[in-house]
Structures are given as C-alpha cells and as structure tokens.
C-alpha cells in the first residue's frame, strides 16, 4: 500500500455481494501492493465483466482507478473513480482517490473540493487532511488551515487501533468500531482518547446514557501529576463532546453550563460559540442565541447549518420572515443542503416557487447528494406538491423520504408491544390501591401539567391555550421523565440481581419517589416563568403515567387525542428533528397509535380521573367548552384570553409554532382523505378495535371486487 493510504483493502469499499467477488478483490489488492499495476488493471477489467450488481461493480471501479493512477494514466483513472462514485456516492475513500487523481492532473481547485467531500463523509482520513492542507491558501482559508492542522495533530497522536476504530465509526461500521475500541480499553482502562471514542460510538448507536456516563467519568478522573497541554486539550475536547451529547439528550441547562465554561476559556473559538448558541436556544434564550449565531457567521459565513439554526431561533421568537430569510440563505450557500428546504416547508406556511421545486428535484435526483439531504428534500417536496394539490406526486416523495429515513432508525414494533405489556402487567389497580393504603406517596407539588399523546395530535394547540392563562407557564417537550426512566433502567441492569423497569420500582422507597418528584420540580424551574403551574408537553410521557402518579400524585395529565387517520398521516409526512422513530412507515405509525390507545385505556382503568382526554376535533367544534373543561381539570379559573390564544406572545418550539399563532382553522383536519388510496397499510395496522371506534372502513373487506 502506498504511504498516502490511497489503495484500499477489501473492506474499504462498498460491500461485496458474493464470495467470488471478494476473492477477486483480494487478488487485485495483492497485485496493487506488489506494484503490478498493469496486472491489477487486467484483473479488474476481467472482474467487471462478471459483475452484475452495483455492490459488485462499485469497489472494482475504485480499484481500477487506483491501478490506472499508479500506472501513470490519471485521465483514465478520473473516469474510473467517477464511475465508482455514481454507484457509491457516500464512500469517503472514493472522494479521497478522486482528490489524488485531480491533484496529479494539476486541477488543484477541484482536488480541494474532492478532499473536502471525503472529509465530510469521514473526518478520520489522515491522507485527505495532509493533502488538503497545502491547498488551503490565502487569508480566507486561515480558519480552515487551523482546523486542518489541529485535526492532523489529533489523528497523528492516536494509537493505531483507535485511529482504525474512528475510521470504522465514520464509515458506519459501529460493531467493528465498538469491538476494536473495547479491546484497546481492556488494556488501557482510563485512556482518555479511548474513552472519548467509545462514547462517540455509543452515542452514534443511540446508547446515549452510557456515552454520557463515560464522558462524565473521564472528566471526573483526577488530574495527572504533571498535567500537559495535550491533557488539557483532551479534557476540553471531552467537555465539548459532553455538551453536544447533553444537547442531543435535551439536557439544555447542563449543556449551557458546559458551554459557558468553554466560551469563558476560549471566547473566540467558533465551534464553542456555535455550540453555546445551540445551548442558549435550548434553554429558551433565543435572542441571545441569535446574537451568538451572528457572531459566528460574521467570521465564518459558509455554514448553512448555522443559518438554519438561527432560523429556528427566529421562528421560535415568532419572526417568520427572518426565519425564512435564514433558511433561504442556507440553500443559497449550499444548494443540496436539504435541511434548509425542509425547514422552509416545516414552517407550514411557506409556499415554494417553481424555481425552488426545480432545484429541489434536481438535487434529490443527483446521485452525489448525501442520503440525509435526500431525506430532507423528499419531505420538503412532499409538502410542496401537497400545497399545489398534486397529491400523487406528493405521496411519492413522502413515501420515498420515509423509506430512506427508515433505513437509518432502529424502531422495532415487537419492543413497543413489550413496553406496553410490561406497563399493564406492573401498574394494576390492586398495586395502586395497596400503595395508597400505606399513605400518600410522592412529592405533593401540583404545578406540573403533562400533555401526552402522539406528535401531530394537537398538543401544541392545547399548550398554547393553557399557556395563555395567567397562572400557567408553557415550556417545551421536557426530557426529564424520559431521562429518569433511562437512569432507572441503567441502575437496574447494574445490580447484583439485575432488574427491569418498571418492576424495579418495587425496590424504591417512598422517600426516593418523593425525591424524584422534588428533583423534577427543581430541574425544570429554569424553563418556567412566574406561573404557579407549568406544562411539560413531551408526548412520549404517556408510557410513564404510572411513574408520574407515584412521584407527582397531584400532577395533571391531559391526553391530546386526534382522529387516527389524521394524526398518523400527519406524523408520516413530518420529518422530526430527533426521536419518533415509529413514524417513518404507515404500518409502523399505525401500530404505534394502536398500542398508545391500548395503554391510555389501561391508565383510565387503573387510575380513573387522573388523565383528561381532549379530542382535537372537539376543540375545533366547541373551543370555549373544551377550554373551560381543561381549566377546571387544572383547578384554575376561566380566563377569556385562553380563547384568544393566538394573541399570546411566547416562544413555541414545535412545527406547529406558526399555526398556533393564528385563530382556529379546520383546513387540515381531513388532509389525509386526499391520500386515502395509498393508506391501506395504515388502516390495517390500526387494528379492528381502533377502526371500529372511529368508523374507519376495513380495507380488507371494503376493497372493490
């Protein structure tokens, strides 16, 4: 293999679809390493004649490009690597090889672009960083040169197993990365780089609590007797990574504390400032977040993701026009940046022009467009065609976006059913009766109002109505109940006799449950104003109504319910920022709705009167009646401004933010009927009980003969 790392092992390229193909690739690799480039080229051409699928052809085109470049035929090598990238547009090493070829052809500007693309897909490619650094010239590239120099220094000091594991991580080979990293840490138990890397691998796999524990453990380690500058840099990097993780876990106040320290340490460091802006937005200090985003963008304007984040903060403050300008500036800087287009669509009020639709369709059809951008573009195009009444085209894009997204999520219907069953089996009427015979448990504070249900069920509207009351603060979808459950599960697994949630609640004392309630009240205070009551509208809390009853017995819970076809299809066409992995498929979201209804029916049976169900359609039909019913349930007097909820000025952080700033309208209540011809999988998944309850025709018996 050449010193620049440009040749590839069999595992570096796209996966092989046959054993024979793998043998051929290993043979070609051996010829390349022996510098027998003509023989390698002949073997590659022979293998390509036998290859039938894209998975077989893509790595062969890559190896052919390598053989041609080392054989002195750079122009032919460029054609070969371009053929590879058409078939494998996300292969970082393909872009790296393209950069090497373009550099030999003296096309240095294009070579720089190829190396940048390689590093976007895999920032651990040391050869790309080394090749890119000399191409960064002039004052405008000073910041990028500093970043490249720091990355090279970071990669060069990593032990070889960690460098390989990091590369595996960026190539999506998580199991291999995890195994390699753990084997290294078995011999070097508190190696800071190993702990940081394993935390990243765990976070990428969705094991956020364990990743958080690793980073917090690393930061809690006692300092070395002779702390070096490098040690300080590692600690600072761990702090930065932990702040990022806290943001992902929606622990915004903890993230803000970490970014405060980072910015105090390095007030002009742009990545720290950008992260600080995200944390400020997370805790609701949106105006400060916008100012901080602007500070970063003044010095580094070519960052479309920061423009989108600024737009989100502007949207939260109710400045829709400013948000739209930010999103448009983002796609102007990066025409394939799908999140910019989706953010425009997600305002729910924006209407795309013909030119914008053409640009989106072109970018979505381009094989070089990254999958995540394609997902965003598909959802945006689905909304664009829906607004124009082109429902078949709209459904094609919604379905494609969901299919692409579903490939990257880990939702399993059988786990969902298991979660519902364990809640039902543990939280029985008899268990609650026995607990209450021993006296009231939990923290008595009546301040929390939980709005639960499914996303897109009208919960933001209910929150806006209630938050218009002088005694009630609106907050956001708070993560604290979900985080508590994750902590309980982790603690249960670590016991000598492992326990599962919720069965492990048997081992908790009444005093501990009361403390859980107190902690919830204290930890959420940062999001509250002067009201005596406050709202947590995290929809997924419906799984944990039993736990809430034990720790906060005087809390109020409102179940935001919407017609299943309207609710589920609205979720299907919504691309969520994170979570809600059940929504990316008609069968998946229908199954989720069915399980949700079954569990809410259970809570009604074992905790009668603890949950108030509010049907979205009833709110539209009788606003005042439903408002009075909710306020009475929350033990506050009626206030007329709750009927004028759209005039209430407050920050709203959900996709419905613009809709709840308008009077009630019914235009979207039956949107799903335009797509009825394609929704049979959803109707089947809802099940007979839900279909009967809502008079939905059974597609298996109502289809035309």
């Amino acid at each position: 293999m050449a010193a620049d790392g440009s040749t590839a092992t069999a595992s570096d390229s796209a996966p092989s679809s046959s054993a024979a193909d793998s043998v051929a690739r290993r043979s070609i690799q051996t010829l390349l390493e022996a510098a027998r480039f003509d023989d390698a080229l002949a073997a590659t051409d022979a293998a390509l004649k036998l290859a039938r699928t894209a998975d077989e052809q893509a790595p062969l085109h890559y190896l052919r490009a390598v053989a041609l470049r080392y054989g002195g035929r750079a122009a032919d090598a460029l054609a070969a690597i371009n053929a590879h990238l058409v078939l494998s547009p996300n292969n970082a090493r393909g872009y790296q090889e393209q950069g090497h070829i373009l550099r030999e052809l003296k096309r240095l500007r294009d070579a720089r672009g190829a190396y940048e693309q390689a590093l976007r897909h895999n920032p651990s490619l040391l050869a790309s960083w080394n090749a890119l650094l000399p191409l960064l010239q002039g004052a405008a590239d000073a910041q990028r040169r500093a970043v490249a120099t720091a990355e090279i220094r970071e990669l060069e000091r990593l032990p070889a197993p960690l460098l390989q594991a990091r590369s595996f991580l960026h190539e999506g080979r998580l199991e291999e990365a995890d195994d390699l990293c753990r084997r290294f840490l078995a011999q070097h138990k508190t190696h800071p780089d190993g702990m940081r890397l394993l935390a990243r691998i765990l976070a990428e796999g969705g094991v956020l609590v364990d990743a958080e524990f690793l980073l917090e453990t690393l930061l809690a380690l006692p300092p070395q007797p002779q702390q070096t500058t490098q040690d300080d840099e590692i600690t600072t990097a761990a702090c930065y990574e932990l702040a990022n993780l806290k943001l992902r876990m929606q622990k915004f106040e903890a993230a803000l504390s970490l970014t405060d320290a980072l910015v105090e340490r390095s007030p002009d460091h742009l990545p720290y400032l950008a992260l600080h802006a995200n944390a400020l937005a997370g805790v609701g200090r949106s105006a400060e977040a916008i100012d901080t985003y602007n500070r970063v963008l003044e010095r580094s304007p070519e960052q479309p993701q920061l423009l989108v984040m600024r737009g989100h903060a502007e949207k939260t403050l109710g400045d829709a026009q400013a948000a739209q300008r930010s999103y448009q500036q983002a796609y102007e800087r990066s025409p394939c940046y799908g999140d910019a287009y989706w953010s425009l669509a997600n305002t729910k009020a924006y209407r795309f022009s013909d030119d914008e639709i053409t640009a989106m369709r072109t970018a979505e059809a381009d094989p070089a467009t990254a999958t995540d951008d394609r997902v965003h573009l598909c959802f945006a195009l689905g909304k664009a065609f829906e607004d124009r009444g082109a429902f078949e085209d709209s459904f094609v894009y919604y379905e494609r976006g969901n299919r692409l997204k579903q490939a990257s999520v880990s939702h399993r219907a059988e786990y969902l059913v298991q979660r519902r069953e364990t809640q039902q089996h543990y939280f029985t009427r008899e268990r609650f009766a026995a607990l209450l015979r021993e006296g009231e448990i939990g923290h008595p504070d009546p301040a929390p109002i939980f709005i639960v249900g499914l996303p897109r069920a009208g919960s933001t509207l209910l929150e806006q109505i209630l938050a218009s009351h002088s005694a009630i603060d609106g907050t956001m979808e708070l993560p604290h109940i979900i985080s508590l459950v994750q902590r309980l599960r982790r603690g249960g697994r670590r016991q000598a006799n492992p326990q599962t949630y919720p069965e492990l609640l048997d081992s908790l004392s009444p005093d501990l449950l009361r403390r859980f309630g107190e902690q919830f009240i204290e930890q959420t205070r940062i999001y509250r104003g002067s009201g005596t009551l406050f709202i947590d509208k995290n929809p997924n809390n419906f799984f944990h109504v039993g736990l809430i009853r034990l720790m906060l017995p005087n809390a109020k819970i409102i179940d935001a319910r919407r017609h299943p076809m309207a609710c589920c299809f609205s979720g299907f066409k919504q691309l969520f920022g994170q979570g809600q992995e059940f929504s990316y498929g008609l069968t998946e979201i229908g199954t989720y709705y069915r399980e949700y209804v079954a569990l809410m029916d259970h809570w009604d049976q074992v905790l009668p009167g603890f949950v108030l169900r509010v049907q979205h359609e009833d709110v539209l039909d009788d606003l005042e009646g439903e408002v009075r019913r909710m306020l009475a349930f929350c033990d506050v007097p009626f206030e007329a401004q709750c009927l004028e909820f759209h005039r209430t000025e407050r920050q709203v952080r959900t996709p419905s933010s613009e809709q709840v700033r308008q009077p009630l309208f019914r235009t979207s209540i039956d949107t799903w009927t335009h797509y009825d011809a394609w929704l049979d999988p959803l109707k089947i998944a809802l099940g007979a009980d839900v279909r009967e309850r809502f008079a939905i025709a059974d597609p298996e018996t109502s289809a035309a003969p």
Side-chain angles (χ1 to χ4, degrees), residues 550-567:
L550 295 181
M551 57 187 273
L552 291 161
N554 294 317
K556 303 295 189 295
I557 299 182
I558 296 175
D559 174 17
R561 189 74 63 91
R562 185 180 177 190
H563 187 284
M565 294 299 293
C567 182

Side-chain angles (χ1 to χ4, degrees), residues 615-634:
Q615 192 72 34
H616 180 65
E617 292 78 11
D618 292 344
V619 177
L620 299 182
D621 290 338
D622 181 15
L623 176 61
E624 182 170 345
E626 291 301 300
V627 168
R628 288 183 179 277
R629 191 165 75 95
M630 286 191 292
L631 295 179
F633 178 74
C634 295

